[in-house]
Amino acid sequence: MPVMIRTIQTAVPPTILYQDQARDVFAAQPGLTRLGQRLIATSFDSAAISTRRTAVEELTLDRTSEDPVFFDANTRLLLSPSTRVRNELFAREAGPLFVEAARRALEACPDLSPADITHVVTVSCTGFYNPGPDYQVVRSLGLNPQTRRYHLGFMGCYAAFPALRAAKSFCEAEPDAVVLVVCGELCSLHVRSSNNPDTIMGSALFADGAAAAVVTARPQSDGGDFPPHPPHLLLDFFETTLTPVGEEAMAWNIGDEGFEMVLGTYVPHIIDDHIVGALEPLLNQDPTLPDAYSEIPHWGIHPGGRAILDRVQHRLELDDAQLAPARRVLRDYGNMSSSTVMFVLKDILEGSGPTADAAGERVCSMAFGPGLTVETALMTLVPGPVPSAVPGSAAVPALEAGR
């Protein structure tokens, strides 16, 4: 059996950031230059974001705190806690988010029990603690204490793909393996007031959220009280590449007052120039794919920002419907670093309906991160029971359109 994502489930903190309110707060901070104020207005208004979620409850305007640490709602001043204080909040708030997303993913597979989970892979780049979220998932969900645990840290927005690739390898090596992949990020811990364009862009884009996937080659059990087969994503191929330029354009560093993002304004141009070359190694793995990118039905693009999505859509000549999942996630949740592309893939999974091709529809997915690194994945969206062969083989003639 091919390796598949059985489900993707998500969890977000309850505190909502409204983009227009956040813009006004950041624009009113003392010490801003006129250029800084203009950059804030432009960055927030052009981000194509309506709402984001944050684990920092103080960031809401709805209530005040007697001893504010991150934000004083009375004076509307953004404060400057140390990296240690920010990481301590990560240690308190990240675990429950990881656990909730993982719990929902396991509950979405009623034929699986906690005892079936063989591996846990967790991902985050916004904080550190140990025992970490991998440990908490095992303990909180009552998994076998011998569950093998792996944590991918500080890789950035593309890290969901190495995690899924590792899960696929585990399942290919052990056909009965069931892997929980959980990405969780609290990016909002690191916002601050600044005149620096990169810092302003991060404040306009980044948010908090977690997403969990169940990856296995085991088909859903039939019979009993289980619901009909839900859609699945077959994990066909993965590739990674570094663009020839861009090392200085995207980075993630640790400072005295939180983690510091570098997201240069030239990043969309780099992606525009090199996206075709980055996709080539992936798409060449399956000669049955059509020549035109637009003929691949689904595109799961990490919405690093509106400009990135615009460049990808234009360069690959995709239509609005193919970018709709990424733009919806950006609008409703912002950029949650490694978790974000999982939200996009969940949107694609849930959007498959009775008109979907029963033999499967291809999904091309990608994310970008420090380096500049481009991670890509080719998947197949199957609306019902999983076929017994991978796409591109003679056993799946409906997918052999010729390339």
Side-chain angles (χ1 to χ4, degrees):
M1 293 295 293
V3 179
M4 73 197 85
I5 295 177
R6 287 272 305 270
T7 186
I8 299 175
Q9 299 298 320
T10 60
V12 293
T15 301
I16 301 175
L17 290 177
Y18 297 95
Q19 189 76 345
D20 55 348
Q21 294 179 0
R23 175 203 62 209
D24 293 345
V25 167
F26 276 84
Q29 297 306 300
L32 291 173
T33 64
R34 292 173 122 188
L35 176 58
Q37 290 177 325
R38 288 199 298 271
L39 286 173
I40 288 171
T42 300
S43 299
F44 278 76
D45 290 344
S46 64
I49 294 171
S50 295
T51 57
R52 292 177 280 164
R53 299 300 183 104
T54 177
V56 186
E57 295 181 357
E58 289 180 3
L59 290 180
T60 181
L61 296 175
D62 296 335
R63 57 184 176 272
T64 60
S65 174
E66 292 185 3
D67 298 302
V69 176
F70 285 81
F71 176 63
D72 187 339
N74 288 318
T75 61
R76 297 204 171 190
L77 286 178
L78 289 165
L79 307 178
S80 300
S82 67
T83 299
R84 175 175 180 169
V85 170
R86 296 174 194 263
N87 194 68
E88 286 173 347
L89 183 59
F90 180 87
R92 291 197 304 271
E93 300 294 336
L97 211 58
F98 274 90
V99 170
E100 182 59 25
R103 188 189 313 281
R104 292 176 182 178
L106 188 55
E107 289 175 348
C109 301
D111 58 317
L112 297 177
S113 71
D116 290 302
I117 303 299
T118 58
H119 303 70
V120 169
V121 183
T122 55
V123 177
S124 189
C125 69
T126 48
F128 302 92
Y129 62 98
N130 202 3
D134 52 320
Y135 171 91
Q136 290 175 303
V137 167
V138 170
R139 288 300 195 195
S140 298
L141 298 187
L143 307 186
N144 189 322
Q146 293 180 310
T147 300
R148 281 158 281 180
R149 308 183 339 259
Y150 304 84
H151 182 74
L152 302 182
F154 220 66
M155 297 182 76
C157 295
Y158 64 80
F161 288 97
L164 290 172
R165 186 167 57 239
K168 182 174 188 283
S169 296
F170 296 150
C171 295
E172 289 172 338
E174 303 177 37
D176 287 333
V178 180
V179 186
L180 260 178
V181 174
V182 195
C183 301
E185 305 285 8
L186 303 187
C187 305
S188 70
L189 299 182
H190 304 291
V191 301
R192 63 178 65 80
S193 179
S194 175
N195 287 298
N196 182 282
D198 290 338
T199 304
I200 291 171
M201 182 62 68
S203 300
L205 289 175
F206 281 103
D208 304 347
V214 174
V215 179
T216 186
R218 292 168 52 174
Q220 176 176 311
S221 301
D222 291 316
D225 298 325
F226 303 142
H229 291 278
H232 299 73
L233 280 170
L234 305 188
L235 298 177
D236 303 330
F237 305 106
F238 290 91
E239 282 291 343
T240 184
T241 190
L242 298 176
T243 60
V245 296
E247 181 179 351
E248 305 300 325
M250 189 182 294
W252 191 228
N253 303 309
I254 299 178
D256 292 335
E257 296 180 354
F259 297 175
E260 299 170 352
M261 183 204 69
V262 176
L263 183 59
T265 57
Y266 200 65
V267 168
H269 299 279
I270 297 172
I271 292 172
D272 189 18
D273 291 342
H274 298 286
I275 188 65
V276 171
L279 279 171
E280 187 173 347
L282 176 78
L283 301 184
N284 283 347
Q285 293 200 52
D286 188 348
T288 71
L289 290 170
D291 289 326
Y293 299 109
S294 60
E295 293 181 32
I296 297 175
H298 305 284
W299 287 81
I301 310 298
H302 166 67
R306 194 203 68 184
I308 290 175
L309 294 180
D310 289 346
R311 293 280 180 165
V312 170
Q313 181 171 2
H314 178 264
R315 176 62 64 184
L316 302 183
E317 299 182 339
L318 305 179
D319 61 32
D320 290 344
Q322 289 167 307
L323 267 290
R327 294 194 190 276
R328 277 193 293 267
V329 170
L330 182 64
R331 179 195 67 203
D332 296 339
Y333 298 101
N335 183 342
M336 299 165 285
S337 191
S338 68
S339 306
T340 322
V341 74
M342 300 276 275
F343 277 66
V344 176
L345 293 172
K346 173 180 169 64
D347 186 288
I348 292 172
L349 266 174
E350 294 181 346
S352 61
T355 59
D357 189 333
E361 298 176 346
R362 301 315 284 274
V363 179
C364 188
S365 187
M366 68 183 74
F368 321 96
L372 199 154
T373 303
V374 183
E375 288 278 350
T376 55
L378 192 63
M379 311 177 190
T380 303
L381 174 63
V382 179
V386 179
S388 58
V390 296
S393 71
V396 193
L399 295 176
E400 296 181 357
R403 178 174 168 81

